Every structure is written in structure tokens, then in C-alpha cells.
mmCIF file of all heavy atoms in Angstrom:
data_model
loop_
_atom_site.group_PDB
_atom_site.id
_atom_site.type_symbol
_atom_site.label_atom_id
_atom_site.label_comp_id
_atom_site.label_asym_id
_atom_site.label_seq_id
_atom_site.Cartn_x
_atom_site.Cartn_y
_atom_site.Cartn_z
ATOM 1 N N MET A 1 -6.920 -8.581 -6.093
ATOM 2 C CA MET A 1 -7.291 -8.417 -4.648
ATOM 3 C C MET A 1 -6.717 -7.120 -4.233
ATOM 4 O O MET A 1 -5.550 -6.807 -4.409
ATOM 5 C CB MET A 1 -6.802 -9.575 -3.828
ATOM 6 C CG MET A 1 -7.140 -9.404 -2.391
ATOM 7 S SD MET A 1 -6.341 -10.656 -1.335
ATOM 8 C CE MET A 1 -6.563 -12.161 -2.202
ATOM 9 N N SER A 2 -7.546 -6.290 -3.567
ATOM 10 C CA SER A 2 -7.005 -5.060 -3.048
ATOM 11 C C SER A 2 -6.188 -5.298 -1.767
ATOM 12 O O SER A 2 -6.328 -6.346 -1.146
ATOM 13 C CB SER A 2 -8.189 -4.083 -2.805
ATOM 14 O OG SER A 2 -9.044 -4.609 -1.800
ATOM 15 N N SER A 3 -5.390 -4.296 -1.391
ATOM 16 C CA SER A 3 -4.600 -4.396 -0.225
ATOM 17 C C SER A 3 -5.397 -4.780 1.030
ATOM 18 O O SER A 3 -6.382 -4.090 1.347
ATOM 19 C CB SER A 3 -3.939 -3.084 -0.047
ATOM 20 O OG SER A 3 -2.579 -3.212 0.149
ATOM 21 N N LYS A 4 -4.938 -5.809 1.738
ATOM 22 C CA LYS A 4 -5.509 -6.219 2.991
ATOM 23 C C LYS A 4 -7.095 -6.441 2.837
ATOM 24 O O LYS A 4 -7.834 -6.277 3.796
ATOM 25 C CB LYS A 4 -5.220 -5.234 4.104
ATOM 26 C CG LYS A 4 -3.734 -5.153 4.424
ATOM 27 C CD LYS A 4 -3.499 -4.247 5.555
ATOM 28 C CE LYS A 4 -1.985 -4.087 5.796
ATOM 29 N NZ LYS A 4 -1.653 -3.190 6.863
ATOM 30 N N ASN A 5 -7.482 -6.744 1.643
ATOM 31 C CA ASN A 5 -8.868 -7.012 1.317
ATOM 32 C C ASN A 5 -9.836 -5.845 1.705
ATOM 33 O O ASN A 5 -10.992 -5.978 2.120
ATOM 34 C CB ASN A 5 -9.427 -8.293 2.099
ATOM 35 C CG ASN A 5 -8.674 -9.506 1.562
ATOM 36 O OD1 ASN A 5 -8.445 -9.619 0.424
ATOM 37 N ND2 ASN A 5 -8.366 -10.399 2.451
ATOM 38 N N LEU A 6 -9.273 -4.646 1.596
ATOM 39 C CA LEU A 6 -10.074 -3.433 1.844
ATOM 40 C C LEU A 6 -10.403 -2.714 0.563
ATOM 41 O O LEU A 6 -9.689 -2.865 -0.408
ATOM 42 C CB LEU A 6 -9.243 -2.459 2.746
ATOM 43 C CG LEU A 6 -8.849 -3.000 4.099
ATOM 44 C CD1 LEU A 6 -7.942 -1.936 4.796
ATOM 45 C CD2 LEU A 6 -10.124 -3.230 4.958
ATOM 46 N N TYR A 7 -11.433 -2.001 0.551
ATOM 47 C CA TYR A 7 -11.718 -1.124 -0.570
ATOM 48 C C TYR A 7 -12.319 0.199 0.003
ATOM 49 O O TYR A 7 -12.741 0.280 1.142
ATOM 50 C CB TYR A 7 -12.704 -1.779 -1.564
ATOM 51 C CG TYR A 7 -14.098 -1.907 -1.042
ATOM 52 C CD1 TYR A 7 -15.063 -0.956 -1.262
ATOM 53 C CD2 TYR A 7 -14.474 -3.067 -0.321
ATOM 54 C CE1 TYR A 7 -16.349 -1.084 -0.796
ATOM 55 C CE2 TYR A 7 -15.710 -3.186 0.168
ATOM 56 C CZ TYR A 7 -16.725 -2.194 -0.089
ATOM 57 O OH TYR A 7 -17.943 -2.349 0.418
ATOM 58 N N TYR A 8 -12.255 1.174 -0.749
ATOM 59 C CA TYR A 8 -12.642 2.505 -0.352
ATOM 60 C C TYR A 8 -13.675 3.090 -1.363
ATOM 61 O O TYR A 8 -13.555 2.901 -2.540
ATOM 62 C CB TYR A 8 -11.450 3.461 -0.300
ATOM 63 C CG TYR A 8 -10.385 3.019 0.687
ATOM 64 C CD1 TYR A 8 -9.318 2.269 0.228
ATOM 65 C CD2 TYR A 8 -10.499 3.278 1.979
ATOM 66 C CE1 TYR A 8 -8.328 1.794 1.104
ATOM 67 C CE2 TYR A 8 -9.534 2.826 2.886
ATOM 68 C CZ TYR A 8 -8.476 2.114 2.432
ATOM 69 O OH TYR A 8 -7.495 1.676 3.312
ATOM 70 N N THR A 9 -14.662 3.760 -0.793
ATOM 71 C CA THR A 9 -15.665 4.456 -1.589
ATOM 72 C C THR A 9 -15.397 5.940 -1.462
ATOM 73 O O THR A 9 -15.304 6.410 -0.353
ATOM 74 C CB THR A 9 -17.112 4.144 -1.086
ATOM 75 O OG1 THR A 9 -17.228 2.719 -1.159
ATOM 76 C CG2 THR A 9 -18.118 4.804 -1.983
ATOM 77 N N LEU A 10 -15.240 6.658 -2.563
ATOM 78 C CA LEU A 10 -14.909 8.055 -2.521
ATOM 79 C C LEU A 10 -16.228 8.842 -2.772
ATOM 80 O O LEU A 10 -17.031 8.440 -3.625
ATOM 81 C CB LEU A 10 -13.954 8.435 -3.595
ATOM 82 C CG LEU A 10 -12.579 7.692 -3.501
ATOM 83 C CD1 LEU A 10 -11.729 8.082 -4.720
ATOM 84 C CD2 LEU A 10 -11.898 7.969 -2.259
ATOM 85 N N ARG A 11 -16.377 9.900 -2.069
ATOM 86 C CA ARG A 11 -17.495 10.788 -2.285
ATOM 87 C C ARG A 11 -17.065 12.249 -1.978
ATOM 88 O O ARG A 11 -16.203 12.448 -1.123
ATOM 89 C CB ARG A 11 -18.725 10.389 -1.478
ATOM 90 C CG ARG A 11 -18.554 10.475 0.011
ATOM 91 C CD ARG A 11 -19.833 10.191 0.764
ATOM 92 N NE ARG A 11 -19.609 10.200 2.182
ATOM 93 C CZ ARG A 11 -19.634 9.145 2.958
ATOM 94 N NH1 ARG A 11 -19.947 7.973 2.460
ATOM 95 N NH2 ARG A 11 -19.350 9.208 4.200
ATOM 96 N N LYS A 12 -17.671 13.166 -2.566
ATOM 97 C CA LYS A 12 -17.330 14.551 -2.459
ATOM 98 C C LYS A 12 -17.856 15.081 -1.159
ATOM 99 O O LYS A 12 -18.978 14.842 -0.849
ATOM 100 C CB LYS A 12 -17.788 15.336 -3.687
ATOM 101 C CG LYS A 12 -17.347 16.775 -3.683
ATOM 102 C CD LYS A 12 -17.786 17.471 -4.923
ATOM 103 C CE LYS A 12 -17.312 18.926 -4.849
ATOM 104 N NZ LYS A 12 -17.624 19.600 -6.044
ATOM 105 N N THR A 13 -17.038 15.817 -0.466
ATOM 106 C CA THR A 13 -17.439 16.493 0.763
ATOM 107 C C THR A 13 -16.962 17.957 0.714
ATOM 108 O O THR A 13 -16.140 18.346 -0.149
ATOM 109 C CB THR A 13 -16.854 15.861 2.070
ATOM 110 O OG1 THR A 13 -15.509 16.004 2.048
ATOM 111 C CG2 THR A 13 -17.266 14.408 2.074
ATOM 112 N N ASP A 14 -17.379 18.760 1.677
ATOM 113 C CA ASP A 14 -16.896 20.102 1.740
ATOM 114 C C ASP A 14 -15.626 20.257 2.574
ATOM 115 O O ASP A 14 -15.077 21.308 2.721
ATOM 116 C CB ASP A 14 -18.023 21.010 2.348
ATOM 117 C CG ASP A 14 -19.211 21.157 1.378
ATOM 118 O OD1 ASP A 14 -18.979 21.061 0.180
ATOM 119 O OD2 ASP A 14 -20.324 21.327 1.889
ATOM 120 N N LYS A 15 -15.224 19.127 3.190
ATOM 121 C CA LYS A 15 -14.042 19.170 4.036
ATOM 122 C C LYS A 15 -12.777 19.378 3.203
ATOM 123 O O LYS A 15 -12.669 18.759 2.161
ATOM 124 C CB LYS A 15 -13.905 17.860 4.818
ATOM 125 C CG LYS A 15 -12.895 17.871 5.847
ATOM 126 C CD LYS A 15 -12.948 16.564 6.754
ATOM 127 C CE LYS A 15 -11.889 16.641 7.777
ATOM 128 N NZ LYS A 15 -11.911 15.455 8.577
ATOM 129 N N LYS A 16 -11.849 20.245 3.632
ATOM 130 C CA LYS A 16 -10.612 20.524 2.983
ATOM 131 C C LYS A 16 -9.507 19.623 3.524
ATOM 132 O O LYS A 16 -9.396 19.478 4.716
ATOM 133 C CB LYS A 16 -10.254 21.981 3.091
ATOM 134 C CG LYS A 16 -11.307 22.923 2.582
ATOM 135 C CD LYS A 16 -11.445 22.905 1.050
ATOM 136 C CE LYS A 16 -12.471 23.850 0.552
ATOM 137 N NZ LYS A 16 -12.799 23.640 -0.791
ATOM 138 N N TYR A 17 -8.689 19.097 2.627
ATOM 139 C CA TYR A 17 -7.550 18.288 3.041
ATOM 140 C C TYR A 17 -6.249 18.914 2.532
ATOM 141 O O TYR A 17 -6.225 19.506 1.539
ATOM 142 C CB TYR A 17 -7.755 16.834 2.439
ATOM 143 C CG TYR A 17 -8.887 16.091 3.020
ATOM 144 C CD1 TYR A 17 -10.042 16.036 2.351
ATOM 145 C CD2 TYR A 17 -8.711 15.408 4.214
ATOM 146 C CE1 TYR A 17 -11.163 15.359 2.856
ATOM 147 C CE2 TYR A 17 -9.842 14.702 4.699
ATOM 148 C CZ TYR A 17 -11.006 14.662 4.045
ATOM 149 O OH TYR A 17 -12.085 13.964 4.583
ATOM 150 N N ASP A 18 -5.241 18.639 3.356
ATOM 151 C CA ASP A 18 -3.954 19.090 2.967
ATOM 152 C C ASP A 18 -3.298 17.982 2.123
ATOM 153 O O ASP A 18 -2.818 16.937 2.556
ATOM 154 C CB ASP A 18 -3.045 19.332 4.194
ATOM 155 C CG ASP A 18 -1.648 19.714 3.875
ATOM 156 O OD1 ASP A 18 -1.342 20.074 2.658
ATOM 157 O OD2 ASP A 18 -0.842 19.794 4.796
ATOM 158 N N LEU A 19 -3.404 18.128 0.789
ATOM 159 C CA LEU A 19 -2.971 17.144 -0.124
ATOM 160 C C LEU A 19 -1.482 16.788 -0.043
ATOM 161 O O LEU A 19 -1.051 15.677 -0.153
ATOM 162 C CB LEU A 19 -3.335 17.390 -1.593
ATOM 163 C CG LEU A 19 -4.825 17.322 -1.895
ATOM 164 C CD1 LEU A 19 -5.064 17.677 -3.398
ATOM 165 C CD2 LEU A 19 -5.320 15.886 -1.613
ATOM 166 N N LYS A 20 -0.709 17.830 0.252
ATOM 167 C CA LYS A 20 0.754 17.608 0.326
ATOM 168 C C LYS A 20 1.069 16.639 1.434
ATOM 169 O O LYS A 20 1.847 15.700 1.274
ATOM 170 C CB LYS A 20 1.474 18.901 0.508
ATOM 171 C CG LYS A 20 2.979 18.762 0.649
ATOM 172 C CD LYS A 20 3.665 20.113 0.849
ATOM 173 C CE LYS A 20 5.192 19.884 0.905
ATOM 174 N NZ LYS A 20 5.910 21.153 1.121
ATOM 175 N N THR A 21 0.468 16.839 2.597
ATOM 176 C CA THR A 21 0.729 15.940 3.732
ATOM 177 C C THR A 21 0.142 14.558 3.444
ATOM 178 O O THR A 21 0.776 13.535 3.785
ATOM 179 C CB THR A 21 0.019 16.542 4.975
ATOM 180 O OG1 THR A 21 0.551 17.827 5.238
ATOM 181 C CG2 THR A 21 0.241 15.580 6.192
ATOM 182 N N ALA A 22 -1.053 14.454 2.818
ATOM 183 C CA ALA A 22 -1.650 13.195 2.518
ATOM 184 C C ALA A 22 -0.775 12.394 1.538
ATOM 185 O O ALA A 22 -0.605 11.122 1.733
ATOM 186 C CB ALA A 22 -3.029 13.362 1.978
ATOM 187 N N ILE A 23 -0.206 13.028 0.555
ATOM 188 C CA ILE A 23 0.596 12.342 -0.467
ATOM 189 C C ILE A 23 1.878 11.860 0.209
ATOM 190 O O ILE A 23 2.299 10.690 -0.008
ATOM 191 C CB ILE A 23 0.863 13.233 -1.691
ATOM 192 C CG1 ILE A 23 -0.461 13.463 -2.475
ATOM 193 C CG2 ILE A 23 1.913 12.697 -2.523
ATOM 194 C CD1 ILE A 23 -0.378 14.529 -3.489
ATOM 195 N N ILE A 24 2.516 12.683 1.002
ATOM 196 C CA ILE A 24 3.766 12.305 1.667
ATOM 197 C C ILE A 24 3.513 11.100 2.548
ATOM 198 O O ILE A 24 4.286 10.124 2.604
ATOM 199 C CB ILE A 24 4.376 13.487 2.418
ATOM 200 C CG1 ILE A 24 4.886 14.509 1.436
ATOM 201 C CG2 ILE A 24 5.497 13.017 3.396
ATOM 202 C CD1 ILE A 24 5.275 15.839 2.070
ATOM 203 N N ASN A 25 2.433 11.120 3.337
ATOM 204 C CA ASN A 25 2.094 9.999 4.212
ATOM 205 C C ASN A 25 1.796 8.754 3.444
ATOM 206 O O ASN A 25 2.186 7.679 3.835
ATOM 207 C CB ASN A 25 0.891 10.361 5.130
ATOM 208 C CG ASN A 25 1.265 11.335 6.234
ATOM 209 O OD1 ASN A 25 2.401 11.359 6.653
ATOM 210 N ND2 ASN A 25 0.326 12.094 6.683
ATOM 211 N N ALA A 26 1.132 8.839 2.345
ATOM 212 C CA ALA A 26 0.784 7.717 1.575
ATOM 213 C C ALA A 26 2.025 7.063 0.925
ATOM 214 O O ALA A 26 2.184 5.809 0.988
ATOM 215 C CB ALA A 26 -0.194 8.133 0.395
ATOM 216 N N ILE A 27 2.975 7.875 0.443
ATOM 217 C CA ILE A 27 4.182 7.322 -0.086
ATOM 218 C C ILE A 27 5.015 6.682 0.987
ATOM 219 O O ILE A 27 5.549 5.558 0.871
ATOM 220 C CB ILE A 27 5.042 8.432 -0.764
ATOM 221 C CG1 ILE A 27 4.302 8.939 -2.045
ATOM 222 C CG2 ILE A 27 6.424 7.963 -1.072
ATOM 223 C CD1 ILE A 27 4.892 10.199 -2.668
ATOM 224 N N ARG A 28 5.104 7.331 2.151
ATOM 225 C CA ARG A 28 5.884 6.763 3.256
ATOM 226 C C ARG A 28 5.233 5.427 3.701
ATOM 227 O O ARG A 28 5.943 4.468 3.952
ATOM 228 C CB ARG A 28 5.894 7.752 4.426
ATOM 229 C CG ARG A 28 6.751 7.249 5.667
ATOM 230 C CD ARG A 28 6.806 8.329 6.745
ATOM 231 N NE ARG A 28 7.590 9.453 6.262
ATOM 232 C CZ ARG A 28 7.165 10.680 6.259
ATOM 233 N NH1 ARG A 28 5.893 10.986 6.654
ATOM 234 N NH2 ARG A 28 7.929 11.713 5.822
ATOM 235 N N ASN A 29 3.929 5.377 3.883
ATOM 236 C CA ASN A 29 3.261 4.126 4.345
ATOM 237 C C ASN A 29 3.449 2.994 3.331
ATOM 238 O O ASN A 29 3.708 1.871 3.694
ATOM 239 C CB ASN A 29 1.765 4.399 4.580
ATOM 240 C CG ASN A 29 1.538 5.258 5.762
ATOM 241 O OD1 ASN A 29 2.431 5.467 6.627
ATOM 242 N ND2 ASN A 29 0.366 5.892 5.831
ATOM 243 N N ASN A 30 3.312 3.328 2.049
ATOM 244 C CA ASN A 30 3.468 2.302 0.992
ATOM 245 C C ASN A 30 4.948 1.838 0.933
ATOM 246 O O ASN A 30 5.165 0.626 0.772
ATOM 247 C CB ASN A 30 3.062 2.819 -0.401
ATOM 248 C CG ASN A 30 1.582 2.757 -0.532
ATOM 249 O OD1 ASN A 30 1.000 1.675 -0.576
ATOM 250 N ND2 ASN A 30 0.938 3.884 -0.605
ATOM 251 N N ALA A 31 5.893 2.690 1.071
ATOM 252 C CA ALA A 31 7.304 2.325 1.069
ATOM 253 C C ALA A 31 7.603 1.390 2.281
ATOM 254 O O ALA A 31 8.334 0.372 2.134
ATOM 255 C CB ALA A 31 8.191 3.544 1.097
ATOM 256 N N THR A 32 7.105 1.739 3.461
ATOM 257 C CA THR A 32 7.291 0.904 4.621
ATOM 258 C C THR A 32 6.685 -0.451 4.454
ATOM 259 O O THR A 32 7.344 -1.471 4.775
ATOM 260 C CB THR A 32 6.632 1.605 5.833
ATOM 261 O OG1 THR A 32 7.212 2.851 6.024
ATOM 262 C CG2 THR A 32 6.820 0.786 7.137
ATOM 263 N N GLU A 33 5.475 -0.540 3.857
ATOM 264 C CA GLU A 33 4.894 -1.880 3.644
ATOM 265 C C GLU A 33 5.685 -2.657 2.623
ATOM 266 O O GLU A 33 5.730 -3.892 2.684
ATOM 267 C CB GLU A 33 3.460 -1.718 3.220
ATOM 268 C CG GLU A 33 2.481 -1.330 4.284
ATOM 269 C CD GLU A 33 2.237 -2.424 5.267
ATOM 270 O OE1 GLU A 33 2.087 -3.612 4.909
ATOM 271 O OE2 GLU A 33 2.165 -2.126 6.486
ATOM 272 N N HIS A 34 6.226 -1.995 1.672
ATOM 273 C CA HIS A 34 6.999 -2.727 0.634
ATOM 274 C C HIS A 34 8.329 -3.223 1.120
ATOM 275 O O HIS A 34 8.748 -4.359 0.859
ATOM 276 C CB HIS A 34 7.236 -1.793 -0.567
ATOM 277 C CG HIS A 34 7.952 -2.418 -1.740
ATOM 278 N ND1 HIS A 34 7.315 -3.311 -2.581
ATOM 279 C CD2 HIS A 34 9.249 -2.369 -2.184
ATOM 280 C CE1 HIS A 34 8.117 -3.744 -3.462
ATOM 281 N NE2 HIS A 34 9.344 -3.232 -3.263
ATOM 282 N N ILE A 35 8.980 -2.394 1.953
ATOM 283 C CA ILE A 35 10.269 -2.735 2.480
ATOM 284 C C ILE A 35 10.162 -3.831 3.628
ATOM 285 O O ILE A 35 11.045 -4.700 3.745
ATOM 286 C CB ILE A 35 11.020 -1.524 3.012
ATOM 287 C CG1 ILE A 35 11.391 -0.610 1.832
ATOM 288 C CG2 ILE A 35 12.278 -1.864 3.811
ATOM 289 C CD1 ILE A 35 11.852 0.762 2.220
ATOM 290 N N ASP A 36 9.140 -3.727 4.442
ATOM 291 C CA ASP A 36 8.992 -4.616 5.582
ATOM 292 C C ASP A 36 7.580 -5.194 5.598
ATOM 293 O O ASP A 36 6.760 -4.926 6.436
ATOM 294 C CB ASP A 36 9.256 -3.865 6.896
ATOM 295 C CG ASP A 36 9.363 -4.778 8.119
ATOM 296 O OD1 ASP A 36 9.579 -5.999 7.922
ATOM 297 O OD2 ASP A 36 9.186 -4.281 9.183
ATOM 298 N N PRO A 37 7.275 -6.107 4.661
ATOM 299 C CA PRO A 37 5.939 -6.664 4.563
ATOM 300 C C PRO A 37 5.644 -7.608 5.722
ATOM 301 O O PRO A 37 6.589 -8.246 6.252
ATOM 302 C CB PRO A 37 5.920 -7.438 3.231
ATOM 303 C CG PRO A 37 7.358 -7.794 2.997
ATOM 304 C CD PRO A 37 8.136 -6.618 3.591
ATOM 305 N N PRO A 38 4.373 -7.664 6.153
ATOM 306 C CA PRO A 38 4.049 -8.584 7.303
ATOM 307 C C PRO A 38 4.128 -10.041 6.920
ATOM 308 O O PRO A 38 4.332 -10.877 7.801
ATOM 309 C CB PRO A 38 2.640 -8.157 7.631
ATOM 310 C CG PRO A 38 2.095 -7.525 6.387
ATOM 311 C CD PRO A 38 3.264 -6.933 5.685
ATOM 312 N N ILE A 39 3.998 -10.398 5.635
ATOM 313 C CA ILE A 39 4.134 -11.775 5.168
ATOM 314 C C ILE A 39 4.994 -11.768 3.914
ATOM 315 O O ILE A 39 5.190 -10.800 3.258
ATOM 316 C CB ILE A 39 2.780 -12.458 4.945
ATOM 317 C CG1 ILE A 39 1.988 -11.711 3.811
ATOM 318 C CG2 ILE A 39 1.991 -12.583 6.170
ATOM 319 C CD1 ILE A 39 0.710 -12.387 3.450
ATOM 320 N N THR A 40 5.517 -12.925 3.548
ATOM 321 C CA THR A 40 6.435 -12.997 2.429
ATOM 322 C C THR A 40 5.752 -13.001 1.066
ATOM 323 O O THR A 40 6.437 -13.048 0.048
ATOM 324 C CB THR A 40 7.335 -14.247 2.518
ATOM 325 O OG1 THR A 40 6.554 -15.381 2.531
ATOM 326 C CG2 THR A 40 8.241 -14.185 3.725
ATOM 327 N N ASN A 41 4.468 -12.941 0.996
ATOM 328 C CA ASN A 41 3.741 -12.984 -0.308
ATOM 329 C C ASN A 41 3.574 -11.569 -0.881
ATOM 330 O O ASN A 41 3.050 -11.457 -1.981
ATOM 331 C CB ASN A 41 2.396 -13.645 -0.178
ATOM 332 C CG ASN A 41 2.515 -15.152 0.219
ATOM 333 O OD1 ASN A 41 3.574 -15.695 0.093
ATOM 334 N ND2 ASN A 41 1.460 -15.645 0.686
ATOM 335 N N ILE A 42 3.891 -10.585 -0.161
ATOM 336 C CA ILE A 42 3.690 -9.198 -0.676
ATOM 337 C C ILE A 42 5.013 -8.412 -0.575
ATOM 338 O O ILE A 42 5.994 -8.871 0.025
ATOM 339 C CB ILE A 42 2.614 -8.441 0.057
ATOM 340 C CG1 ILE A 42 2.851 -8.412 1.605
ATOM 341 C CG2 ILE A 42 1.259 -9.090 -0.179
ATOM 342 C CD1 ILE A 42 1.825 -7.665 2.324
ATOM 343 N N GLY A 43 5.093 -7.266 -1.184
ATOM 344 C CA GLY A 43 6.252 -6.431 -1.200
ATOM 345 C C GLY A 43 7.379 -7.047 -2.002
ATOM 346 O O GLY A 43 7.170 -7.872 -2.852
ATOM 347 N N TYR A 44 8.598 -6.607 -1.728
ATOM 348 C CA TYR A 44 9.745 -7.162 -2.491
ATOM 349 C C TYR A 44 9.958 -8.674 -2.190
ATOM 350 O O TYR A 44 10.414 -9.382 -3.040
ATOM 351 C CB TYR A 44 10.984 -6.349 -2.233
ATOM 352 C CG TYR A 44 11.722 -6.639 -0.921
ATOM 353 C CD1 TYR A 44 12.660 -7.589 -0.910
ATOM 354 C CD2 TYR A 44 11.330 -6.039 0.248
ATOM 355 C CE1 TYR A 44 13.411 -7.914 0.294
ATOM 356 C CE2 TYR A 44 11.967 -6.351 1.431
ATOM 357 C CZ TYR A 44 13.001 -7.247 1.481
ATOM 358 O OH TYR A 44 13.632 -7.566 2.615
ATOM 359 N N LYS A 45 9.604 -9.067 -0.991
ATOM 360 C CA LYS A 45 9.731 -10.496 -0.633
ATOM 361 C C LYS A 45 8.789 -11.319 -1.492
ATOM 362 O O LYS A 45 9.114 -12.429 -1.858
ATOM 363 C CB LYS A 45 9.437 -10.707 0.825
ATOM 364 C CG LYS A 45 10.491 -10.072 1.762
ATOM 365 C CD LYS A 45 10.183 -10.351 3.196
ATOM 366 C CE LYS A 45 11.232 -9.737 4.104
ATOM 367 N NZ LYS A 45 10.912 -9.924 5.531
ATOM 368 N N GLY A 46 7.591 -10.799 -1.792
ATOM 369 C CA GLY A 46 6.659 -11.507 -2.571
ATOM 370 C C GLY A 46 7.141 -11.635 -4.092
ATOM 371 O O GLY A 46 6.961 -12.657 -4.683
ATOM 372 N N ILE A 47 7.767 -10.596 -4.536
ATOM 373 C CA ILE A 47 8.392 -10.582 -5.929
ATOM 374 C C ILE A 47 9.457 -11.621 -5.936
ATOM 375 O O ILE A 47 9.507 -12.421 -6.920
ATOM 376 C CB ILE A 47 8.852 -9.169 -6.289
ATOM 377 C CG1 ILE A 47 7.759 -8.228 -6.338
ATOM 378 C CG2 ILE A 47 9.656 -9.253 -7.582
ATOM 379 C CD1 ILE A 47 8.207 -6.742 -6.471
ATOM 380 N N TYR A 48 10.299 -11.658 -4.901
ATOM 381 C CA TYR A 48 11.382 -12.624 -4.879
ATOM 382 C C TYR A 48 10.799 -14.073 -4.801
ATOM 383 O O TYR A 48 11.307 -14.961 -5.531
ATOM 384 C CB TYR A 48 12.316 -12.353 -3.702
ATOM 385 C CG TYR A 48 13.437 -13.311 -3.614
ATOM 386 C CD1 TYR A 48 14.529 -13.332 -4.526
ATOM 387 C CD2 TYR A 48 13.434 -14.344 -2.614
ATOM 388 C CE1 TYR A 48 15.523 -14.227 -4.442
ATOM 389 C CE2 TYR A 48 14.460 -15.233 -2.549
ATOM 390 C CZ TYR A 48 15.485 -15.208 -3.465
ATOM 391 O OH TYR A 48 16.519 -16.127 -3.376
ATOM 392 N N LYS A 49 9.869 -14.251 -3.939
ATOM 393 C CA LYS A 49 9.256 -15.587 -3.746
ATOM 394 C C LYS A 49 8.618 -16.080 -5.077
ATOM 395 O O LYS A 49 8.811 -17.239 -5.420
ATOM 396 C CB LYS A 49 8.208 -15.577 -2.641
ATOM 397 C CG LYS A 49 7.593 -16.918 -2.388
ATOM 398 C CD LYS A 49 6.631 -16.876 -1.274
ATOM 399 C CE LYS A 49 6.050 -18.257 -1.040
ATOM 400 N NZ LYS A 49 5.064 -18.218 0.001
ATOM 401 N N THR A 50 7.917 -15.198 -5.710
ATOM 402 C CA THR A 50 7.284 -15.580 -7.007
ATOM 403 C C THR A 50 8.310 -15.931 -8.027
ATOM 404 O O THR A 50 8.134 -16.941 -8.740
ATOM 405 C CB THR A 50 6.432 -14.398 -7.508
ATOM 406 O OG1 THR A 50 5.423 -14.077 -6.554
ATOM 407 C CG2 THR A 50 5.765 -14.768 -8.832
ATOM 408 N N SER A 51 9.437 -15.180 -8.060
ATOM 409 C CA SER A 51 10.475 -15.468 -9.074
ATOM 410 C C SER A 51 11.114 -16.833 -8.770
ATOM 411 O O SER A 51 11.437 -17.586 -9.689
ATOM 412 C CB SER A 51 11.523 -14.363 -9.071
ATOM 413 O OG SER A 51 12.309 -14.346 -7.938
ATOM 414 N N THR A 52 11.302 -17.184 -7.545
ATOM 415 C CA THR A 52 11.900 -18.503 -7.236
ATOM 416 C C THR A 52 10.916 -19.651 -7.519
ATOM 417 O O THR A 52 11.384 -20.703 -7.873
ATOM 418 C CB THR A 52 12.375 -18.554 -5.767
ATOM 419 O OG1 THR A 52 11.278 -18.404 -4.870
ATOM 420 C CG2 THR A 52 13.434 -17.531 -5.467
ATOM 421 N N GLU A 53 9.685 -19.352 -7.407
ATOM 422 C CA GLU A 53 8.669 -20.413 -7.678
ATOM 423 C C GLU A 53 8.527 -20.661 -9.187
ATOM 424 O O GLU A 53 8.258 -21.749 -9.622
ATOM 425 C CB GLU A 53 7.283 -20.061 -7.113
ATOM 426 C CG GLU A 53 7.298 -19.775 -5.626
ATOM 427 C CD GLU A 53 6.728 -20.908 -4.822
ATOM 428 O OE1 GLU A 53 6.039 -21.725 -5.450
ATOM 429 O OE2 GLU A 53 7.059 -21.014 -3.650
ATOM 430 N N ILE A 54 8.789 -19.629 -9.993
ATOM 431 C CA ILE A 54 8.649 -19.738 -11.420
ATOM 432 C C ILE A 54 9.810 -20.538 -12.034
ATOM 433 O O ILE A 54 9.643 -21.351 -12.894
ATOM 434 C CB ILE A 54 8.572 -18.340 -12.079
ATOM 435 C CG1 ILE A 54 7.244 -17.674 -11.716
ATOM 436 C CG2 ILE A 54 8.664 -18.453 -13.606
ATOM 437 C CD1 ILE A 54 7.102 -16.270 -12.190
ATOM 438 N N PHE A 55 11.006 -20.267 -11.491
ATOM 439 C CA PHE A 55 12.217 -20.924 -12.073
ATOM 440 C C PHE A 55 12.650 -22.058 -11.297
ATOM 441 O O PHE A 55 12.654 -22.621 -10.485
ATOM 442 C CB PHE A 55 13.362 -19.937 -12.168
ATOM 443 C CG PHE A 55 13.069 -18.859 -13.137
ATOM 444 C CD1 PHE A 55 12.744 -17.583 -12.737
ATOM 445 C CD2 PHE A 55 13.101 -19.036 -14.531
ATOM 446 C CE1 PHE A 55 12.484 -16.564 -13.639
ATOM 447 C CE2 PHE A 55 12.787 -18.074 -15.393
ATOM 448 C CZ PHE A 55 12.527 -16.824 -15.015
#
């Protein structure tokens, strides 16, 4: 399942993007979601919950 049940379609355009800014924002956003997930089934809390359910 993709994140938040979203998917993206990529297509080539003539628009120029600042990849450095996009990469930094993507890393920051992913880290924030991992550290402070909205529910306990995802992020580090999800990993912990899964491990406790297994053992």
C-alpha cells in the first residue's frame, strides 16, 4: 500500500525544478512523518508495534 493510499503519475514537462530544494524537503517531510506518525501503525511506532505483536 502506498503512503496515505496515494499514488503519483510522472510525466515529462518543460518546467524546471530546483532538485536540491525538492530533495531536502522530501527528506525533511519523510523524517517528520517517521518520527511523529499520525497513527501507531506507521513509522517507528509501527515497527515497534509489529515487533511486540510478533513476540
Side-chain angles (χ1 to χ4, degrees):
M1 179 187 315
S2 62
S3 229
K4 297 182 183 177
N5 296 322
L6 299 175
Y7 69 93
Y8 300 94
T9 302
L10 303 176
R11 65 176 176 248
K12 186 176 180 175
T13 67
D14 292 332
K15 190 173 181 179
K16 302 292 181 191
Y17 292 96
D18 180 11
L19 287 180
K20 181 178 180 181
T21 302
I23 291 169
I24 291 170
N25 285 335
I27 293 170
R28 183 177 292 121
N29 291 341
N30 280 294
T32 300
E33 286 289 321
H34 184 74
I35 292 169
D36 189 21
I39 60 174
T40 60
N41 295 344
I42 57 178
Y44 80 92
K45 291 179 181 179
I47 295 168
Y48 179 74
K49 181 178 180 182
T50 301
S51 70
T52 59
E53 302 259 339
I54 292 172
F55 294 106

